[in-house]
Amino acid sequence: MTCRTKICVKEVWWSMDHSQYLCLLLQIFVTGAATASIHEISVNGKQTLQRNTLPSGACIWHKNSGHHRAPCDFEVVDMEFLDVLGRVPKLEFIKKAPAHEGGVYFPDKGEYYFSSPWNSNELPGKPVNLMKMSLKTREVSFVSKTTMANGMTLDNIGNLVVCEQGFLEKRGSIQKINLHNMTSTIAADNWKGLPFNSPNDVVVKSDNSIWFTDPDYGQTQHFKGPSEIGKNQVYRVSINGDVRAVADGFTKPNGLAFSPDEKLLYVTDTGTTVGDGTFDPTKPHDINVFDVEGSILSNRRVFASVAVLEGSLPSIGVPDGIKVDTQGRVYTANQDGIQVFSPKGKLLGLIRVQGAVNMGFVGPHLDQMIITNSTAIHSVQLNVQAAGLLYAKAYHHHP
């Protein structure tokens, strides 16, 4: 194989095979260029035929890039990330807002639901609020007070399913809310009679079972009493209300998502975030994956260990919220933004929103991502389609 390259700014050949990518990346790493173009590249004497530009706002990342330039909106670690970005991605700041967790698209009304961040000075008056944003007007409005709401999802008939962490003497629970009339019911509030620690994030499978994580952040953040369960687990609630622990051994189980075919379950472990404002780099900062067969999880392994792409942030990595697209790529919110992984766990790139906590896909094609970082809301148009949003797909008549 022979490579002949000329490096300049913001142009790249679009139709390259893997050997051509290798030539490009070797040249970039050798020269230290953060953005690059290929005016001429040949593999065994055959030149490529089609040319296109690296999308605006995108840079080729390398390990020293942060020391030589201002960060780009999109850091390309692997060329497959260009398939995610498409030709014209645009990271947009929408507005300042107390937007923390949740990230749920309700297509009936074109709304995006989220929970506000916890402020220890607000207890017990208004600990956490349920909020929403109109996708048309971008107006943010208050919906209701909660008992420390955290992660949320829609079930398969359009109810909002909310992780209520609870506080003080109030039990944590999994709550269902009808968003048309705002009536609510409790899907689960205990395991074998013991109150949950502080339910954190939740997904609903196609069989209508509810799966959620239950770390002890309520205990380490001192808005709840000691854990009666004594460990941090993942639970499944069947359609008849039976609650079963399906996985344990986590330090802080957090975000979770099914693969498009529901044969895999991804669970993040944010153990590196102790919960008292400190970080412990010796604790997990991983995405774990399980094989799924019905209600049984098996063959747990590390899908990816997550770290910030630059060393300027206080923690090595905090993979929080997690989503999956129809091609099986995995998206996780980390301190440096939304990191995107291939189905095999290879890091593809970063959508840079510092302090990102969670994200969700919205719109008729489920290809626009809304990102929250506790103080603001951002959006980005991508060249993908979200997986797992069964109600929204049915609403928009997607196969």
Side-chain angles (χ1 to χ4, degrees), residues 235-274:
Y235 296 91
R236 177 185 183 271
V237 186
S238 68
I239 57 174
N240 64 8
D242 178 59
V243 179
R244 187 167 65 85
V246 291
D248 62 8
F250 294 92
T251 302
K252 294 285 194 297
N254 202 309
L256 72 174
F258 285 103
S259 62
D261 60 7
E262 297 186 336
K263 292 182 179 180
L264 300 172
L265 177 66
Y266 301 95
V267 183
T268 68
D269 193 332
T270 52
T272 188
T273 304
V274 177

Side-chain angles (χ1 to χ4, degrees), residues 205 207 211 236 244 246 258 261-265 290-299:
K205 202 164 176 267
D207 65 2
W211 303 62
R236 177 185 183 271
R244 187 167 65 85
V246 291
F258 285 103
D261 60 7
E262 297 186 336
K263 292 182 179 180
L264 300 172
L265 177 66
F290 296 83
D291 293 331
V292 182
E293 187 173 351
S295 62
I296 305 299
L297 301 182
S298 63
N299 192 25

Side-chain angles (χ1 to χ4, degrees), residues 1-5 19-20 22-24 26-27 40-43:
M1 179 180 70
T2 60
C3 293
R4 188 165 71 255
T5 61
S19 60
Q20 292 169 313
L22 178 61
C23 295
L24 170 61
L26 284 173
Q27 193 65 252
E40 184 179 333
I41 184 167
S42 63
V43 176

